[in-house]
Amino acid sequence: MFQYLGKRIGTFLTQLGQITLLAGHACRHIVLRPHVGQVFEQMYRLGVKSLPITTVTALFIGLAFALQVVQEFLKFGAGKMIGGIVALALWRELGPLLTAVVVAGRVGAAIAAELGTMKVTEQVEALEAMGQDPVRYLVAPRLAASTLMMPLLVGWADVVGFFGGFIIAIGSGRVNPYMYFESAQAMLHVKDIMGGLVKGVFFGFFIALISAYMGLSAKSGAKGVGEVTTRAVVVSLIVIFVLNYFLSTALFT
Amino acid sequence: MIELRNVSKSFDGRMVLHDVNLTIQTGERIAIIGTSGCGKSTLLRLIMGLHAPDAGEVLIFGEDIHRVSHARLLKIRLKIGILFQSAALFDSMNVAANVAFPLIENFNIPAARVIDRVAQKLELVEMSGFGEHDPADLSGGQRKRIGLARALSGDPEVMLYDEPTTGLDPILSTNIEDLIVRLSRQLKVTSIVVTHQISTILRTADKIYMMHNGTLLEPESPETIMTATSIYGEFIRGGLS
Ligand SMILES: Nc1ncnc2c1ncn2[C@@H]1O[C@H](COP(=O)(O)OP(=O)(O)OP(=O)(O)O)[C@@H](O)[C@H]1O
Ligand SMILES: [Mg+2]
């Protein structure tokens, strides 16, 4: 029992060390010798192509959240605050968190599956054989692209979600459309906006890092790729939720 | 020149290569044969620096590739081309981009010359007109040939071929064997051919090594191997148990 536990902790610490090394190695390449072409390609594939799913998710989150807020706040005659509450909730928590969840599912799985397949079909070795460093060519661009694009997606999700809330608010017929924006302007501070984007930066970085690490650790066979893909998403999600709590504590209290 | 000195390699505690010694002169062509799983591909990976040996040295052009810096190793690799057993094509790129990859990433060659070079290499492996295809849409033998074109695109001084003719029909097989010989005759390309195909062994190699129990046996020549009474003869004639 203790032996088993000890072994698991040992494995965990080893992996943590390897991930840290991978992060260091990749960051060095991003700063010193980035593969610009790959960075742009990944920004498109990981970022731009995540726009539709982010938009739909954010819109419906905005709709659903506003539905509750509008109902309850009107009961207390606090209709004037609805815009502000929706904006705060979105920018601080819902936007970053839900975008990260969606991106972890789409981008994290894509990175892990792609790198995993490349690993088990000797493509990673082929890269090395042709004088390329796989960390520079594969990991660093994905890490850079995800870290850059994630805050943009978060910002977009916030705007779309806020618009969703607006639809519900005026749909109720009892909220003044001007008040919706005005209260948001009054209650939402630069600190909240920046805080949400900072969360996006962290989430983007960790989703790509964890998924790339998992992908490159794939062992031969399709089962290996499937396994690391699942693990990439699960671990990313856990890290996102835990990290989100600490970031909220640090940024908004 | 390539030299392996007392190279050993094990995976998960299981010894695959044990005290392997091998010297290959510039321009020489050798074949390596041996039972499936005996460590032939592993040997090629060691020469490419893709695996590190547990013991021993791998010298390429006089440099121990497992002692040099990573950056230096990447440079040395540019002089070596490898055809992987699985071809290992990048399936995120089409055929032309695969063949162009080493040229674009490693050498500062203008785009027009890259296109010429790609066309020339595709012609060499009789795959002209397939540039726009996706690797996934090709047959095993076609993938192999694209892998060969890609390995050759940087005009390497050393070529490592892992089963270059497996999956090819006899005519194509012969053409690829001729290509291997031609490259070595005309361009002095040193070559190591891992193969199970008897015609390839006989037609491409000056020397034939057999891998047995983790080491390389004393080489045979293509002229004598068919009638050899040694383990070589037995293996070639299919009598090895
Ligand atoms: N990365 C690896 N991890 C663990 N074991 C490995 C690895 N690579 C090779 N092996 C093992 O080493 C042994 C030799 O493998 P290798 O691929 O070199 O054989 P081979 O001679 O090329 O066989 P074949 O003719 O079937 O291609 C096999 O038993 C294989 O399981
Ligand atoms: Mg092999």
Side-chain angles (χ1 to χ4, degrees), chain A residues 5-43:
Chain A
L5 211 66
K7 216 169 136 193
R8 285 301 292 264
I9 293 174
T11 318
F12 174 75
L13 289 178
T14 317
Q15 289 184 339
L16 201 65
Q18 286 170 342
I19 289 191
T20 314
L21 284 179
L22 180 66
H25 191 166
C27 289
R28 212 173 56 229
H29 280 303
I30 292 172
V31 176
L32 297 181
R33 244 164 38 94
H35 194 296
V36 180
Q38 272 299 303
V39 174
F40 278 112
E41 179 167 341
Q42 295 305 327
M43 281 170 76

Side-chain angles (χ1 to χ4, degrees), chain A:
Chain A
M1 171 67 194
F2 280 113
Q3 221 173 359
Y4 172 78
L5 211 66
K7 216 169 136 193
R8 285 301 292 264
I9 293 174
T11 318
F12 174 75
L13 289 178
T14 317
Q15 289 184 339
L16 201 65
Q18 286 170 342
I19 289 191
T20 314
L21 284 179
L22 180 66
H25 191 166
C27 289
R28 212 173 56 229
H29 280 303
I30 292 172
V31 176
L32 297 181
R33 244 164 38 94
H35 194 296
V36 180
Q38 272 299 303
V39 174
F40 278 112
E41 179 167 341
Q42 295 305 327
M43 281 170 76
Y44 174 73
R45 287 180 46 191
L46 305 182
V48 177
K49 285 190 142 185
S50 296
L51 262 180
I53 185 167
T54 307
T55 309
V56 174
T57 315
L59 181 66
F60 280 91
I61 290 300
L63 292 173
F65 183 68
L67 207 60
Q68 306 295 332
V69 174
V70 168
Q71 234 172 44
E72 300 304 319
F73 275 53
L74 285 178
K75 268 190 216 159
F76 301 112
K80 280 190 284 190
M81 285 170 68
I82 289 171
I85 293 298
V86 171
L88 269 187
L90 276 170
W91 283 97
R92 283 186 175 186
E93 297 291 339
L94 295 178
L97 200 55
L98 290 164
T99 308
V101 168
V102 167
V103 169
R106 202 193 92 82
V107 168
I111 291 177
E114 189 180 14
L115 298 196
T117 306
M118 289 187 75
K119 178 75 192 297
V120 302
T121 55
E122 296 183 308
Q123 292 178 56
V124 174
E125 284 185 324
L127 264 182
E128 289 185 74
M130 286 183 272
Q132 296 298 307
D133 181 340
V135 175
R136 171 171 182 262
Y137 191 83
L138 297 174
V139 181
R142 284 168 174 77
L143 197 61
S146 177
T147 309
L148 284 172
M149 294 309 275
M150 192 65 182
L152 300 183
L153 287 172
V154 168
W156 173 244
D158 294 334
V159 172
V160 172
F162 185 65
F163 173 74
F166 179 69
I167 295 174
I168 294 294
I170 55 166
S172 73
R174 292 165 60 197
V175 179
N176 179 336
Y178 292 108
M179 263 332 275
Y180 185 81
F181 287 101
E182 227 157 77
S183 71
Q185 207 171 23
M187 288 171 70
L188 191 68
H189 299 294
V190 175
K191 203 183 85 182
D192 301 315
I193 295 175
M194 293 312 286
L197 299 183
V198 166
K199 279 186 174 181
V201 169
F202 277 93
F203 294 159
F205 179 83
F206 280 102
I207 290 171
L209 178 64
I210 291 165
S211 306
Y213 173 79
M214 293 296 174
L216 290 181
S217 68
K219 293 275 186 299
S220 293
K223 186 160 165 267
V225 176
E227 246 164 45
V228 295
T229 306
T230 313
R231 204 175 313 147
V233 176
V234 171
V235 175
S236 294
L237 288 176
I238 295 172
V239 169
I240 287 167
F241 284 115
V242 173
L243 197 63
N244 182 60
Y245 169 75
F246 287 107
L247 285 172
S248 288
T249 312
L251 293 164
F252 303 128
T253 55

Side-chain angles (χ1 to χ4, degrees), chain A residues 35 45 114 117-118 121-133 136-137, chain B residues 45 48 50 70 74 77-78 82 84 86 88-91 93 101-102 105-106 150:
Chain A
H35 194 296
R45 287 180 46 191
E114 189 180 14
T117 306
M118 289 187 75
T121 55
E122 296 183 308
Q123 292 178 56
V124 174
E125 284 185 324
L127 264 182
E128 289 185 74
M130 286 183 272
Q132 296 298 307
D133 181 340
R136 171 171 182 262
Y137 191 83
Chain B
R45 287 210 174 83
M48 204 67 197
L50 297 171
H70 188 64
L74 292 179
R77 280 186 187 146
L78 298 186
I82 182 168
F84 284 89
S86 67
L89 301 180
F90 300 127
D91 30 50
M93 307 174 191
F101 185 87
E105 297 296 335
N106 298 324
R150 184 179 68 181

